Coordinates of all heavy atoms in Angstrom, one line a residue:
Chain B
K167 N 20.4 -30.2 12.7 CA 21.4 -31.3 12.6 C 22.5 -31.1 13.6 O 22.9 -32.1 14.3 CB 22.0 -31.3 11.2 CG 23.1 -32.4 11.0 CD 23.6 -32.4 9.6 CE 24.8 -33.4 9.5 NZ 25.3 -33.4 8.1
I168 N 23.0 -29.9 13.8 CA 24.0 -29.7 14.8 C 23.6 -29.9 16.2 O 24.3 -30.6 17.0 CB 24.6 -28.2 14.6 CG1 25.2 -28.0 13.2 CG2 25.6 -27.9 15.7 CD1 25.5 -26.6 12.9
V169 N 22.4 -29.4 16.5 CA 21.8 -29.6 17.9 C 21.6 -31.0 18.2 O 22.0 -31.5 19.3 CB 20.5 -28.8 18.1 CG1 19.8 -29.1 19.4 CG2 20.8 -27.3 18.0
S170 N 21.2 -31.8 17.2 CA 20.9 -33.2 17.3 C 22.2 -34.0 17.5 O 22.4 -34.8 18.4 CB 20.1 -33.7 16.1 OG 20.2 -35.1 16.0
A171 N 23.2 -33.6 16.7 CA 24.5 -34.3 16.7 C 25.2 -34.0 18.1 O 25.8 -34.9 18.7 CB 25.4 -33.9 15.6
A172 N 25.0 -32.8 18.6 CA 25.6 -32.5 19.9 C 25.0 -33.3 21.0 O 25.8 -33.8 21.8 CB 25.4 -31.0 20.2
Q173 N 23.7 -33.5 20.9 CA 23.1 -34.3 21.9 C 23.6 -35.8 21.9 O 23.7 -36.4 23.0 CB 21.5 -34.3 21.7 CG 20.9 -33.0 22.3 CD 19.4 -33.0 22.2 OE1 18.9 -32.9 21.1 NE2 18.8 -32.9 23.3
D174 N 23.9 -36.3 20.7 CA 24.5 -37.6 20.6 C 25.8 -37.7 21.4 O 26.2 -38.8 21.8 CB 24.8 -38.0 19.2 CG 23.5 -38.1 18.4 OD1 22.4 -38.3 19.0 OD2 23.6 -38.0 17.1
Y175 N 26.5 -36.6 21.6 CA 27.8 -36.6 22.3 C 27.6 -36.1 23.8 O 28.5 -35.8 24.5 CB 28.8 -35.7 21.6 CG 29.3 -36.3 20.3 CD1 28.8 -36.0 19.1 CD2 30.4 -37.2 20.3 CE1 29.2 -36.5 17.9 CE2 30.8 -37.8 19.2 CZ 30.3 -37.4 18.0 OH 30.7 -38.0 16.8
G176 N 26.3 -35.9 24.2 CA 26.0 -35.5 25.5 C 26.1 -34.0 25.8 O 26.1 -33.5 26.9
I177 N 26.1 -33.2 24.7 CA 26.1 -31.8 24.8 C 24.7 -31.3 24.7 O 24.0 -31.6 23.7 CB 27.0 -31.1 23.6 CG1 28.4 -31.7 23.7 CG2 27.0 -29.6 23.7 CD1 29.2 -31.4 22.4
K178 N 24.3 -30.6 25.7 CA 22.9 -30.2 25.8 C 22.6 -29.0 24.8 O 23.5 -28.2 24.5 CB 22.5 -29.7 27.2 CG 22.6 -30.8 28.2 CD 22.1 -30.3 29.6 CE 22.3 -31.4 30.6 NZ 23.1 -30.9 31.7
P179 N 21.3 -28.9 24.3 CA 21.0 -27.8 23.4 C 21.4 -26.4 23.9 O 21.8 -25.5 23.2 CB 19.5 -27.9 23.2 CG 19.2 -29.3 23.5 CD 20.2 -29.8 24.5
Q180 N 21.3 -26.2 25.2 CA 21.7 -24.9 25.8 C 23.2 -24.6 25.6 O 23.6 -23.5 25.8 CB 21.3 -24.7 27.2 CG 22.0 -25.6 28.2 CD 21.0 -26.7 28.7 OE1 20.3 -27.2 27.9 NE2 21.1 -27.0 29.9
D181 N 24.0 -25.6 25.3 CA 25.4 -25.4 25.1 C 25.8 -25.4 23.6 O 27.0 -25.4 23.3 CB 26.3 -26.5 25.9 CG 26.2 -26.2 27.4 OD1 26.2 -25.0 27.8 OD2 26.1 -27.2 28.2
V182 N 24.8 -25.3 22.8 CA 25.0 -25.1 21.4 C 24.5 -23.7 21.0 O 23.3 -23.4 21.2 CB 24.3 -26.2 20.5 CG1 24.6 -25.9 19.0 CG2 24.7 -27.6 20.9
V183 N 25.4 -22.9 20.5 CA 25.1 -21.5 20.1 C 25.1 -21.5 18.6 O 26.2 -21.7 18.0 CB 26.0 -20.5 20.7 CG1 25.7 -19.1 20.3 CG2 26.0 -20.6 22.3
I184 N 23.9 -21.3 18.0 CA 23.9 -21.4 16.5 C 24.2 -20.1 15.9 O 23.8 -19.0 16.3 CB 22.5 -21.9 16.1 CG1 22.2 -23.3 16.5 CG2 22.3 -21.7 14.6 CD1 23.1 -24.4 15.8
D185 N 25.1 -20.2 14.8 CA 25.4 -19.0 14.0 C 24.6 -19.1 12.7 O 24.9 -19.9 11.8 CB 26.9 -19.0 13.7 CG 27.4 -17.8 13.0 OD1 26.5 -17.1 12.3 OD2 28.5 -17.4 13.1
P186 N 23.6 -18.2 12.6 CA 22.8 -18.2 11.3 C 23.4 -17.5 10.2 O 22.8 -17.3 9.1 CB 21.5 -17.5 11.8 CG 21.9 -16.7 13.0 CD 23.2 -17.2 13.5
L187 N 24.7 -17.1 10.3 CA 25.5 -16.5 9.2 C 25.1 -15.2 8.7 O 24.1 -15.0 7.9 CB 25.6 -17.5 8.0 CG 26.1 -19.0 8.4 CD1 26.0 -19.8 7.1 CD2 27.5 -18.9 9.0
A188 N 25.8 -14.2 9.1 CA 25.6 -12.8 8.6 C 26.5 -12.6 7.5 O 27.7 -12.7 7.6 CB 25.9 -11.8 9.8
M189 N 25.9 -12.3 6.3 CA 26.7 -12.2 5.1 C 26.7 -10.7 4.6 O 25.9 -10.0 5.0 CB 26.1 -13.1 4.0 CG 26.0 -14.5 4.3 SD 27.6 -15.3 4.8 CE 28.5 -15.1 3.3
P190 N 27.7 -10.4 3.8 CA 27.8 -9.0 3.4 C 26.6 -8.5 2.6 O 26.2 -9.1 1.5 CB 29.1 -8.9 2.5 CG 29.9 -10.1 2.9 CD 28.9 -11.2 3.3
V191 N 25.9 -7.5 3.1 CA 24.7 -7.0 2.4 C 25.1 -6.2 1.1 O 24.3 -6.0 0.2 CB 23.9 -6.1 3.4 CG1 24.6 -4.7 3.6 CG2 22.5 -5.9 3.0
G192 N 26.4 -5.8 1.0 CA 26.9 -5.1 -0.2 C 26.9 -6.0 -1.4 O 26.8 -5.6 -2.5
A193 N 27.1 -7.3 -1.1 CA 27.2 -8.3 -2.2 C 25.8 -8.7 -2.7 O 25.6 -8.9 -3.9 CB 27.9 -9.5 -1.8
D194 N 24.8 -8.7 -1.8 CA 23.5 -9.1 -2.2 C 22.6 -8.5 -1.1 O 22.6 -8.9 0.1 CB 23.4 -10.6 -2.2 CG 22.0 -11.1 -2.5 OD1 21.0 -10.3 -2.5 OD2 21.8 -12.3 -2.7
T195 N 21.7 -7.6 -1.5 CA 20.9 -6.8 -0.5 C 19.8 -7.7 0.1 O 19.1 -7.3 1.1 CB 20.3 -5.5 -1.1 OG1 19.9 -5.7 -2.4 CG2 21.4 -4.4 -1.0
E196 N 19.6 -8.9 -0.5 CA 18.6 -9.8 0.2 C 19.2 -10.6 1.3 O 18.5 -11.3 2.0 CB 18.0 -10.8 -0.9 CG 17.2 -10.1 -2.0 CD 16.0 -9.3 -1.4 OE1 15.2 -9.9 -0.7 OE2 16.0 -8.1 -1.7
M197 N 20.5 -10.6 1.4 CA 21.3 -11.5 2.3 C 20.9 -11.2 3.8 O 20.8 -12.2 4.5 CB 22.8 -11.3 2.1 CG 23.4 -12.3 1.2 SD 23.0 -14.0 1.8 CE 23.8 -14.9 0.5
A198 N 20.8 -10.0 4.1 CA 20.5 -9.7 5.6 C 19.1 -10.2 5.9 O 18.9 -10.8 7.0 CB 20.5 -8.2 5.8
M199 N 18.1 -10.1 5.0 CA 16.8 -10.6 5.2 C 16.8 -12.1 5.4 O 16.1 -12.6 6.3 CB 15.8 -10.2 4.1 CG 15.5 -8.7 4.0 SD 14.7 -8.1 5.6 CE 13.1 -8.9 5.5
A200 N 17.6 -12.8 4.7 CA 17.7 -14.3 4.8 C 18.2 -14.6 6.2 O 17.8 -15.5 6.9 CB 18.6 -14.9 3.8
T201 N 19.2 -13.8 6.7 CA 19.7 -14.0 8.0 C 18.7 -13.7 9.1 O 18.5 -14.5 10.1 CB 21.0 -13.1 8.3 OG1 21.9 -13.4 7.3 CG2 21.6 -13.2 9.6
F202 N 17.9 -12.6 9.0 CA 16.9 -12.3 10.0 C 15.8 -13.4 10.0 O 15.4 -13.8 11.1 CB 16.3 -10.9 9.7 CG 17.2 -9.8 9.7 CD1 17.1 -8.7 8.8 CD2 18.2 -9.7 10.7 CE1 18.0 -7.6 8.9 CE2 19.1 -8.6 10.8 CZ 19.0 -7.6 9.8
T203 N 15.4 -13.8 8.8 CA 14.4 -14.9 8.8 C 14.9 -16.2 9.4 O 14.2 -16.8 10.2 CB 14.0 -15.1 7.3 OG1 13.6 -13.9 6.7 CG2 12.9 -16.2 7.2
A204 N 16.2 -16.5 9.1 CA 16.8 -17.7 9.7 C 16.8 -17.6 11.3 O 16.5 -18.5 12.0 CB 18.2 -17.9 9.2
M205 N 17.1 -16.4 11.8 CA 17.1 -16.2 13.2 C 15.7 -16.5 13.8 O 15.6 -17.2 14.8 CB 17.5 -14.7 13.5 CG 19.0 -14.5 13.3 SD 19.4 -12.7 13.6 CE 21.1 -12.7 13.1
R206 N 14.7 -15.9 13.2 CA 13.4 -16.1 13.8 C 13.0 -17.5 13.7 O 12.4 -18.1 14.7 CB 12.3 -15.2 13.0 CG 12.4 -13.8 13.4 CD 11.1 -13.0 12.8 NE 11.1 -13.1 11.4 CZ 11.5 -12.2 10.6 NH1 12.1 -11.1 11.0 NH2 11.4 -12.3 9.3
M207 N 13.3 -18.2 12.6 CA 12.9 -19.6 12.5 C 13.7 -20.5 13.5 O 13.1 -21.4 14.1 CB 13.2 -20.1 11.1 CG 12.3 -19.5 10.0 SD 12.8 -19.9 8.3 CE 12.0 -21.6 8.3
I208 N 14.9 -20.2 13.7 CA 15.7 -21.0 14.7 C 15.3 -20.7 16.1 O 15.1 -21.7 16.9 CB 17.3 -20.7 14.5 CG1 17.7 -21.2 13.1 CG2 18.1 -21.2 15.6 CD1 19.1 -20.7 12.6
R209 N 15.0 -19.5 16.4 CA 14.5 -19.1 17.7 C 13.1 -19.9 18.0 O 12.9 -20.5 19.0 CB 14.3 -17.6 17.9 CG 13.6 -17.3 19.2 CD 13.2 -15.8 19.2 NE 12.2 -15.4 18.2 CZ 11.9 -14.2 17.8 NH1 12.4 -13.2 18.5 NH2 11.1 -14.0 16.9
D210 N 12.2 -19.8 17.0 CA 10.9 -20.3 17.2 C 10.9 -21.8 17.3 O 10.1 -22.4 18.0 CB 9.9 -19.8 16.1 CG 9.7 -18.3 16.1 OD1 10.1 -17.7 17.2 OD2 9.2 -17.7 15.2
E211 N 11.7 -22.5 16.5 CA 11.7 -23.9 16.5 C 12.7 -24.5 17.6 O 12.3 -25.5 18.3 CB 12.1 -24.5 15.1 CG 12.0 -26.1 15.2 CD 12.3 -26.7 13.9 OE1 11.8 -26.3 12.8 OE2 13.1 -27.7 13.9
L212 N 13.9 -24.0 17.6 CA 14.9 -24.7 18.5 C 15.1 -23.9 19.8 O 15.5 -24.5 20.8 CB 16.2 -24.8 17.8 CG 16.2 -25.6 16.5 CD1 17.5 -25.4 15.7 CD2 15.9 -27.1 16.8

Side-chain angles (χ1 to χ4, degrees):
Chain B
K167 177 177 174 181
I168 296 166
V169 170
S170 162
Q173 283 183 293
D174 294 342
Y175 290 95
I177 303 166
K178 297 188 182 120
Q180 66 255 38
D181 289 323
V182 180
V183 177
I184 292 293
D185 184 335
L187 305 176
M189 304 304 296
V191 75
D194 178 350
T195 39
E196 295 303 303
M197 263 304 177
M199 287 305 286
T201 300
F202 298 140
T203 305
M205 287 175 184
R206 281 194 302 265
M207 292 175 77
I208 291 165
R209 173 188 60 192
D210 293 349
E211 181 179 315
L212 300 171

